[in-house]
C-alpha cells in the first residue's frame, strides 16, 4: 500500500524529489521504492513503470505505469473507504456534512460533546456539502449527519420517514432586484415570476424551489436573464446593472439586505415573495436506521442529542 501511495505521489508531482517533499520523506527512500517497483514489473511484464529522462526533467510513465497508477488509485480509494466504514461502525468516526451557513449550528452542538469525543478518541470529520447532494450523501452513507436546508411542502409535517430531522426553522424566500417598482412591486406571488427576468443558480436550494413550482423544465417557461454559480456573484451582477432582473434568495438574506447589512447588495431592493405551496426547512438530518441501531452512548447518538439540546423551540 505504501509503495502504491508513493507511485501515485510521483505520478502527481512528476518527480521523486517533489514526491519526497510531499510525503515528508528523503528522496532516497522514494527512489528506492520506485526502483523496487520498476525491477518487479520489469520481471513480471517486461516493462518498467517509470523512466528517468535526465537531471532536472520530469519522469516519464510507461503504459504499464499509467495502468498501474489507475489501478492503485482505485485500490487505495476502496481501501480507505473500507477503513472509514469500519471506524464508523465501531463509533470512532462521525462524519458531518454541512453547508456554509450551518457551520455555527454544528459548532454549538460540538461544544456539548467535544470533551467526551476527545476522551474516547472519536474523530469528528467535517465535510462541505451542497444542498443538491444532501440526500445522496446520506443514502450512500458518505456522511452520518447533515446540517442544511431542504425544500418541503408549506404547513406540512415531515414526509420522509427514512430520515430523521431536527427542525431549526422554516421560512420562505424573497427577491433582490434592481428593477423599478413600476415593473416589480414590493410583493410578488410565485406565478408572476414568469414575467420577471431572473438571475438563477444552476443547482441548489433555489433550483429545487423552481422545479417544485414550474416543473423540471422550468427554464423553458421562465425569462432567465443570467445563470450563476454563487449568490455573491449574482448580487454583484445585479448591482453592476449589467443585467436588469431579480434574484431569488432566502428570507433571512432578504432581511439582512433590507437592513442595509449586506454590503455587496447596497442599492438593491428587497421584494416579498409570496408562496403557499413550498417552504424552506433548515435543520439537521440523519438516516433513521442509523440512529435506531446504535445505543444511547454511541458517538452518533451523543451528537444527535447535542443538536436536540441546541434546537430552538418551534
Amino acid at each position: 500500500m505504501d509503495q502504491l501511495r508513493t507511485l501515485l505521489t510521483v505520478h502527481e508531482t512528476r518527480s521523486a524529489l517533489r514526491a519526497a517533499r510531499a510525503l515528508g520523506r528523503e528522496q532516497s527512500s522514494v527512489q528506492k521504492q520506485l526502483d523496487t517497483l520498476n525491477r518487479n514489473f520489469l520481471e513480471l511484464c517486461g516493462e518498467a513503470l517509470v523512466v528517468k529522462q535526465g537531471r532536472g526533467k520530469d519522469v516519464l510513465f510507461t503504459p504499464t505505469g499509467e495502468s498501474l497508477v489507475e489501478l492503485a488509485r482505485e485500490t487505495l480509494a476502496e481501501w480507505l473507504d473500507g477503513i472509514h466504514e469500519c471506524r464508523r461502525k465501531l463509533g470512532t468516526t462521525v462524519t458531518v456534512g454541512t453547508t456554509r451557513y450551518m457551520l455555527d449550528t454544528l459548532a454549538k452542538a460540538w461544544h456539548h460533546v467535544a470533551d467526551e469525543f476527545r476522551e474516547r478518541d472519536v474523530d469528528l470529520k467535517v465535510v462541505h456539502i451542497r444542498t443538491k447532494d444532501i440526500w445522496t450523501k446520506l443514502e450512500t452513507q458518505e456522511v452520518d449527519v447533515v446540517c442544511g436546508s431542504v425544500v418541503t411542502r408549506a404547513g406540512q409535517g415531515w414526509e420522509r420517514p427514512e430520515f430523521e430531522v431536527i427542525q431549526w426553522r422554516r421560512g420562505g424566500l424573497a427577491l433582490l432586484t434592481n428593477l423599478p417598482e413600476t415593473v416589480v412591486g414590493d410583493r410578488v406571488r410565485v406565478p408572476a415570476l414568469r414575467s420577471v427576468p431572473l438571475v438563477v443558480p444552476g443547482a441548489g436550494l433555489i433550483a429545487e424551489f423552481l422545479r417544485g413550482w414550474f416543473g423540471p423544465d422550468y427554464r423553458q417557461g421562465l425569462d432567465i436573464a443570467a445563470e450563476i454559480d454563487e449568490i455573491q456573484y449574482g448580487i454583484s451582477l445585479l448591482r453592476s446593472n449589467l443585467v436588469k432582473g431579480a434574484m431569488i434568495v432566502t428570507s433571512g438574506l432578504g432581511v439582512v439586505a433590507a437592513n442595509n447589512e449586506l454590503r455587496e447588495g447596497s442599492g438593491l431592493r428587497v421584494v416579498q415573495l409570496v408562496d403557499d405551496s413550498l417552504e424552506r426547512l433548515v435543520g439537521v438530518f440523519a438516516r433513521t436506521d442509523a440512529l435506531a441501531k446504535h445505543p444511547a452512548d454511541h458517538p452518533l447518538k451523543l451528537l444527535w442529542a447535542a443538536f436536540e439540546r441546541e434546537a430552538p423551540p418551534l
Side-chain angles (χ1 to χ4, degrees), residues 79-250:
W79 183 62
L80 290 172
D81 287 344
I83 289 176
H84 182 60
E85 182 59 24
C86 288
R87 286 179 60 86
R88 176 186 284 117
K89 289 179 180 178
L90 292 171
T92 55
T93 297
V94 177
T95 303
V96 180
T98 175
T99 59
R100 173 185 173 187
Y101 299 104
M102 291 290 283
L103 282 170
D104 286 346
T105 300
L106 174 57
K108 291 176 181 177
W110 172 244
H111 172 74
H112 296 289
V113 299
D115 290 341
E116 183 162 354
F117 273 37
R118 292 190 188 102
E119 289 176 5
R120 294 170 56 177
D121 198 24
V122 176
D123 180 29
L124 177 70
K125 184 179 180 182
V126 182
V127 297
H128 180 218
I129 194 170
R130 298 187 181 278
T131 300
K132 65 182 180 67
D133 299 323
I134 285 177
W135 305 128
T136 301
K137 296 291 186 182
L138 283 170
E139 288 167 349
T140 58
Q141 301 185 36
E142 292 182 57
V143 297
D144 300 300
V145 179
V146 165
C147 305
S149 302
V150 299
V151 180
T152 188
R153 291 200 293 177
Q156 300 294 315
W158 183 239
E159 299 177 325
R160 300 198 63 169
E162 68 271 33
F163 299 108
E164 290 290 324
V165 59
I166 301 172
Q167 296 189 34
W168 234 252
R169 60 184 176 274
R170 287 177 178 248
L173 301 173
L175 293 177
L176 286 181
T177 184
N178 56 10
L179 295 168
E181 291 188 37
T182 54
V183 178
V184 175
D186 58 4
R187 192 171 184 269
V188 173
R189 298 192 68 86
V190 166
L193 291 176
R194 295 183 186 275
S195 60
V196 178
L198 296 174
V199 174
V200 300
L205 186 73
I206 303 304
E208 289 300 315
F209 270 100
L210 290 170
R211 288 190 191 93
W213 291 329
F214 304 112
D217 298 325
Y218 64 86
R219 288 179 177 82
Q220 305 302 318
L222 296 175
D223 180 6
I224 306 296
E227 197 162 306
I228 58 173
D229 291 328
E230 58 178 13
I231 291 174
Q232 286 76 13
Y233 183 80
I235 293 173
S236 297
L237 186 63
L238 288 174
R239 194 179 64 171
S240 71
N241 285 311
L242 290 170
V243 169
K244 290 290 186 179
M247 184 173 67
I248 303 170
V249 298
T250 63

Side-chain angles (χ1 to χ4, degrees), residues 13 88 91 95 112 157 177 179 260 268 273 285 287 297 314:
T13 62
R88 176 186 284 117
T95 303
H112 296 289
T177 184
L179 295 168
N260 293 318
L268 299 180
L273 183 58
F285 307 87
R287 296 184 309 280
D297 63 347
L314 296 178

